[in-house]
Amino acid sequence: MTMDNCLLHMKEEVNADNMAQVAMICWSIWKARNDKIFNKIAPDSSKTVELAINMRTDWLSHQPPSTRTSSVPSDPSWTLPPTGFMKLNFDAGWSGEMGSGFGMVIRDDEGRFQIAATHYEDCILEPLIAEACCLRWALNLAVNWELDGLVVASDCQQLVKAFHCPADFPSLRHILLDCHQMVNS
């Protein structure tokens, strides 16, 4: 069973608050992995789990009492998808020296966390190209997971413009055509 399939299975079997803790554990593992690769720090599994628990506790302590569950995010600019849909948010991060990191999260029509994933590309990408590659990666995951009824959201206005007019962005054209094909599937 792949990690993707494992997380999808867990999403069906585990309540939202516990699934949020799983997300924190995955994030802690990612941080430990980055420390190993970039800082040559040997991972310590007990410290990784402790970090996840502390991050979750810290996050919850900063939420208003009425929102201390895994429901709607506190960011007022985030909006719920229409009823019956899920929302896929994605973002890319990059370093001019190391590579590019991709992340995505899917929430349901009540704002509850469903699934998240991260990916690292060991190559240097221009920021807009990294965002486009992140979109293609996230859509590919959604297709592989056989998810329907997705609203896709990005904070990169230039990528949104490029998605709607790929011909105006020759350097992104092939990536965006792949994205269009996945959206249409």
Side-chain angles (χ1 to χ4, degrees), residues 1-184:
M1 177 180 277
T2 66
M3 184 65 168
D4 298 347
N5 290 338
C6 180
L7 288 172
L8 281 173
H9 177 73
M10 286 175 64
K11 179 182 85 65
E12 295 170 6
E13 303 293 326
V14 176
N15 71 38
D17 286 329
N18 288 337
M19 195 62 196
Q21 186 63 46
V22 169
M24 294 291 183
I25 291 170
C26 289
W27 180 253
S28 294
I29 291 169
W30 179 254
K31 287 179 66 73
R33 172 239 182 240
N34 286 345
D35 274 346
K36 168 79 171 144
I37 291 173
F38 300 118
N39 301 322
K40 309 294 187 242
I41 298 171
D44 179 330
S45 58
S46 63
K47 286 183 181 178
T48 301
V49 172
E50 182 180 337
L51 174 64
I53 292 167
N54 290 340
M55 282 192 307
R56 177 79 171 142
T57 302
D58 185 50
W59 182 81
L60 283 172
S61 72
H62 289 87
Q63 302 307 305
S66 61
T67 61
R68 288 190 181 171
T69 65
S70 296
S71 60
V72 181
S74 60
D75 180 0
S77 66
W78 191 90
T79 58
L80 291 170
T83 302
F85 286 81
M86 293 186 289
K87 187 177 238 183
L88 182 158
N89 292 93
F90 67 94
D91 201 9
W94 53 91
S95 167
E97 299 173 5
M98 293 183 263
S100 301
F102 302 159
M104 59 87 73
V105 63
I106 297 175
R107 292 180 176 270
D108 68 13
D109 57 4
E110 294 181 15
R112 291 181 303 230
F113 170 81
Q114 297 298 305
I115 194 161
T118 60
H119 176 72
Y120 178 74
E121 285 288 327
D122 191 21
C123 61
I124 299 168
L125 299 172
E126 294 292 324
L128 185 58
I129 293 173
E131 292 283 351
C133 289
C134 182
L135 171 60
R136 179 172 54 188
W137 164 79
L139 289 173
N140 189 49
L141 287 178
V143 168
N144 289 339
W145 293 334
E146 299 178 0
L147 299 177
D148 289 325
L150 284 180
V151 173
V152 180
S154 172
D155 64 352
C156 181
Q157 288 182 330
Q158 195 172 13
L159 179 62
V160 172
K161 182 179 176 184
F163 183 81
H164 291 293
C165 300
D168 293 346
F169 294 83
S171 64
L172 303 177
R173 189 172 183 275
H174 292 291
I175 298 169
L176 295 173
L177 291 177
D178 287 348
C179 294
H180 280 272
Q181 185 178 7
M182 285 184 273
V183 166
N184 293 328

